[in-house]
Amino acid sequence: SNMAEENVTLVTEFVLTGLTHRPGLQVPLFLVFLVIYLITMVGNLGLIALIWKDPHLHTPMYFFLSGLALADACTSSSVTPKMLINFLSKNHKISLAECFTQFYFLGSSATIECFLLLVMAYDRYVAICNPLLYPVVMSNSLCTQLIGASYFVGFLHLVIHVGLLVRLTFCRSNVIHYYYCEILQLFKISCTDSTVNMFVLLIFSIFIQAFTFLNIIVSYIKVFLAILKKKSEKGRRKAFSTCGAHLFSVSLFYGTLFLIYVCPGSGPVEDKENMFSLFYTIVIPLLNPFIYSLRNREVIGALRRGMKK
């Protein structure tokens, strides 16, 4: 009976193995990711502050961009601080509640980002294809509703997955071979059959990713066709540069999500998955504020005005 009792010992905390086991790499990696995290937070929160402060940036496009920057700051903050602590400490434990919370916020912000990228594509579509109707269609109230809806759907979507996670028990192993609480890794070490969880996750991720991605693509195809019809060279250049930045960000984000969740499989999985998800949890939130603002005259103008003050 003693053996049987020991087998049923339920796991109440996990151990995250982190990015690498090599002791010599811990401090250099800590420094690299600390710098990345600081730049990410300054970039995203700075962009939000700039958009709120400068009246020239009080337009729907920048309103949506500040919503996206907030989601990026949330993505990065749900993963990086814990990872930084683990680089320096010997104790890599994470409680069940902490683990589920991490997954909840990371998943919510990814979902929010999908819908905000769609909202931004729709915004560009209205601005370029129906410029005369734009001020009427993209009213303040609609903008607020679209951002509100994106955040609401994001937070609600993850309630479903975390609700299904709570029914799983963990007794096999408490080691998560990853640098954060990633849901596919949790399924691997669960003692309860996680088929239902897997199925629900797959259905929702495919639906959300396909629905938002296809609509984004359709919007931009219409936008590009409209741009090609434009008479003025200057107008064409400006429209291309704005939409180019958007499309670059969209392809980075969906490319990685697709590679992680829709076609996992071939090759040495651990390293490849680690690389892709590092990209989506850490690199994209770092790049986004710069992709959207570096080639953007309005943002750079706002920055200069801010500096003068």
Side-chain angles (χ1 to χ4, degrees):
S1 73
N2 207 8
M3 271 301 289
E5 269 169 30
E6 266 179 28
N7 275 350
V8 189
T9 314
L10 292 182
V11 171
T12 54
E13 52 184 16
F14 300 113
V15 175
L16 293 171
T17 58
L19 277 182
T20 176
H21 300 290
R22 290 163 55 193
L25 284 177
Q26 305 292 347
V27 174
L29 283 175
F30 169 79
L31 293 170
V32 167
F33 285 104
L34 178 64
V35 169
I36 289 179
Y37 184 58
L38 293 174
I39 297 173
T40 304
M41 295 314 276
V42 168
N44 284 297
L45 300 179
L47 189 57
I48 294 171
L50 195 64
I51 290 168
W52 280 94
K53 276 190 67 135
D54 196 298
H56 295 84
L57 300 182
H58 290 184
T59 64
M61 181 169 94
Y62 292 108
F63 193 35
F64 298 139
L65 188 52
S66 60
L68 187 71
L70 187 62
D72 276 329
C74 180
T75 300
S76 195
S77 298
S78 58
V79 172
T80 321
K82 185 72 185 167
M83 183 173 150
L84 290 173
I85 294 168
N86 284 351
F87 278 132
L88 298 185
S89 81
K90 293 278 177 281
N91 166 14
H92 288 193
K93 286 186 177 139
I94 184 169
S95 72
L96 226 66
E98 232 185 314
C99 192
F100 291 176
T101 307
Q102 192 179 44
F103 165 65
Y104 179 81
F105 282 104
L106 185 64
S108 300
S109 30
T111 309
I112 291 163
E113 189 149 343
C114 285
F115 285 101
L116 282 178
L117 288 170
L118 172 59
V119 167
M120 290 169 80
Y122 175 67
D123 170 71
R124 289 302 82 204
Y125 162 72
V126 180
I128 289 169
C129 298
N130 302 312
L132 297 175
L133 286 176
Y134 184 68
V136 185
V137 175
M138 278 295 170
S139 62
N140 279 351
S141 64
L142 180 69
C143 294
T144 315
Q145 282 163 5
L146 288 170
I147 291 183
S150 302
Y151 274 81
F152 179 71
V153 169
F155 288 129
L156 190 68
H157 172 217
L158 264 285
V159 168
I160 299 166
H161 298 301
V162 172
L164 285 170
L165 261 183
V166 174
R167 58 175 268 280
L168 298 183
T169 49
F170 302 92
C171 58
R172 279 194 201 135
S173 150
N174 68 338
V175 179
I176 298 174
H177 294 280
Y178 229 61
Y179 62 97
Y180 69 93
C181 278
E182 208 274 325
I183 190 160
L184 300 176
Q185 308 296 325
L186 290 176
F187 293 162
K188 277 184 196 166
I189 59 173
S190 158
C191 296
T192 324
D193 180 24
S194 59
T195 317
V196 175
N197 299 57
M198 250 333 236
F199 182 69
V200 172
L201 182 72
L202 200 67
I203 294 294
F204 275 94
S205 2
I206 290 178
F207 176 74
I208 290 173
Q209 285 172 48
F211 169 77
T212 54
F213 185 66
L214 292 172
N215 279 301
I216 288 170
I217 294 305
V218 169
S219 294
Y220 283 119
I221 288 173
K222 288 180 179 169
V223 164
F224 279 115
L225 294 174
I227 293 175
L228 293 175
K229 288 186 194 138
K230 273 187 190 292
K231 298 287 181 286
S232 84
E233 178 65 33
K234 191 181 167 219
R236 220 183 294 179
R237 258 214 314 274
K238 191 182 172 198
F240 265 128
S241 110
T242 306
C243 297
H246 287 211
L247 271 176
F248 182 54
S249 169
V250 165
S251 44
L252 275 181
F253 181 71
Y254 281 96
T256 349
L257 271 189
F258 185 75
L259 288 169
I260 301 174
Y261 290 107
V262 184
C263 56
S266 64
V269 177
E270 295 299 316
D271 300 333
K272 210 174 70 172
E273 269 181 18
N274 257 335
M275 282 309 297
F276 288 146
S277 55
L278 256 184
F279 212 77
Y280 128 77
T281 54
I282 288 165
V283 179
I284 291 175
L286 167 73
L287 294 180
N288 264 349
F290 301 104
I291 292 173
Y292 285 106
S293 47
L294 281 183
R295 291 190 48 221
N296 185 320
R297 289 212 186 104
E298 282 141 352
V299 174
I300 289 169
L303 251 178
R304 287 207 182 107
R305 284 191 293 276
M307 301 274 190
K308 276 180 192 154
K309 282 176 193 166

